[in-house]
Amino acid sequence: MGTLCFTVFISSLAGPAFGQKRTDPKEHLKYQRCILLSKTDPDAAFDMSLAWQDFGGGEAAGHCIAAALVGLKIYNEAALRFETLAQSSRNDAPVRAGMLSQAAQAWLLDGNLERAQSVLNAAILIQPDDPQLYVDRAVVYAEMKKFKEAIQDLSAALKRDQTLVDGYVFRASAYRRLKKLTPATSDIEQALRLDPKHSAGLLERGILRRIAGDKVGARKDWLHILKIAPGTPAAQSAQSNLEKMDVKK
């Protein structure tokens, strides 16, 4: 298993982020369509949002351009656009922090870990009570192999939201990387109490069980992932772990 999973949620600002500021329902629907299109047909979304911007689409059109660039895998330009939007935005702090988080995600995908961390530092200054921002920065720290710092951020996130399943899963992974298996096991069991079908949680528990010598339990977790989440990154990792365990056997 890699350090931590980091998923880009380009839809996270769709809806209330810009919709609350717009009085024209048609413009709001156009924004929602554009964001959805950025994930299914980013080329079309890019063309649509550029034309929309030329006709006064403003911040919403600019955000869709950045989202489309992520879909096109032009991560550097997408990150810069998200940053610029956050700096010039007249929206409330949660929206501006959210755009900085998306900039950080794009920087991470671009391989620029230092810039991703810096942008998330700024986002947390704007919105210090948002637990997801600490999770995002923890993932960056994990990619940097700074697992102690990742644990600190994940603990900060869980202090703010004790139901954050990803926080427990990621912290378990970070603890495992530091060979602290007791707190890792405690975290993963809590995660799976909250969500028994969490595929990344099942993957991590299988790894911990394998380390503890419980091959039967590990196999059970990994096979369960293949059943409930086929074709996902978690399923691919589960299949790889099963094959490695069988080869060693």
Side-chain angles (χ1 to χ4, degrees):
M1 182 184 180
T3 49
L4 298 173
C5 299
F6 196 98
T7 306
V8 178
F9 293 102
I10 290 303
S11 62
S12 62
L13 293 184
F18 292 107
Q20 289 176 347
K21 296 291 184 180
R22 290 190 171 276
T23 57
D24 187 345
K26 290 183 179 179
E27 289 290 281
H28 179 50
L29 287 173
K30 182 184 290 187
Y31 171 68
Q32 290 182 317
R33 285 198 302 271
C34 191
I35 290 294
L36 289 173
L37 194 61
S38 72
K39 294 183 286 186
T40 59
D41 189 347
D43 276 310
F46 185 73
D47 291 340
M48 172 186 171
S49 52
L50 279 179
W52 185 21
Q53 189 176 60
D54 289 341
F55 283 93
E59 207 170 299
H63 183 261
C64 193
I65 290 172
L69 287 167
V70 171
L72 292 169
K73 298 181 171 32
I74 308 174
Y75 301 126
N76 183 289
E77 179 63 24
L80 291 171
R81 284 179 178 267
F82 280 131
E83 283 191 37
T84 300
L85 279 169
Q87 291 164 2
S88 63
S89 176
R90 295 181 180 179
N91 272 283
D92 296 335
V95 176
R96 289 184 283 114
M99 286 189 282
L100 287 174
S101 176
Q102 291 183 317
Q105 293 170 27
W107 283 124
L108 183 60
L109 290 168
D110 195 50
N112 193 333
L113 302 180
E114 291 75 15
R115 186 69 171 264
Q117 180 196 333
S118 177
V119 170
L120 284 166
N121 291 345
I124 288 171
L125 284 175
I126 294 172
Q127 194 72 5
D129 290 327
D130 185 344
Q132 188 59 49
L133 295 175
Y134 292 93
V135 173
D136 290 350
R137 192 170 66 179
V139 174
V140 175
Y141 279 135
E143 292 292 332
M144 293 173 155
K145 312 300 182 187
K146 295 181 178 180
F147 298 111
K148 291 182 180 179
E149 289 85 348
I151 289 169
Q152 290 174 353
D153 267 357
L154 292 165
S155 296
L158 291 166
K159 182 179 179 180
R160 289 162 173 80
D161 183 356
Q162 296 180 4
T163 67
L164 200 60
V165 178
D166 284 346
Y168 290 109
V169 174
F170 293 167
R171 194 169 67 175
S173 177
Y175 274 132
R176 172 172 59 81
R177 295 285 174 157
L178 294 177
K179 303 188 185 303
K180 296 183 177 182
L181 301 184
T182 298
T185 300
S186 176
D187 272 354
I188 208 62
E189 293 300 340
Q190 176 61 16
L192 291 172
R193 275 193 290 270
L194 291 168
D195 183 359
K197 294 184 178 180
H198 194 282
S199 57
L202 290 166
L203 178 64
E204 183 62 36
R205 186 172 69 178
I207 294 170
L208 289 167
R209 284 176 166 177
R210 175 68 182 86
I211 291 171
D214 181 7
K215 295 181 180 180
V216 173
R219 183 180 298 278
K220 181 180 178 181
D221 279 339
W222 295 335
L223 288 175
H224 191 41
I225 296 168
L226 296 179
K227 180 179 179 181
I228 66 173
T232 63
Q236 293 170 7
S237 294
Q239 183 64 49
S240 176
N241 278 300
L242 283 166
E243 291 170 359
K244 289 177 183 176
M245 188 166 67
D246 288 340
V247 167
K248 289 181 180 180
K249 181 178 178 182

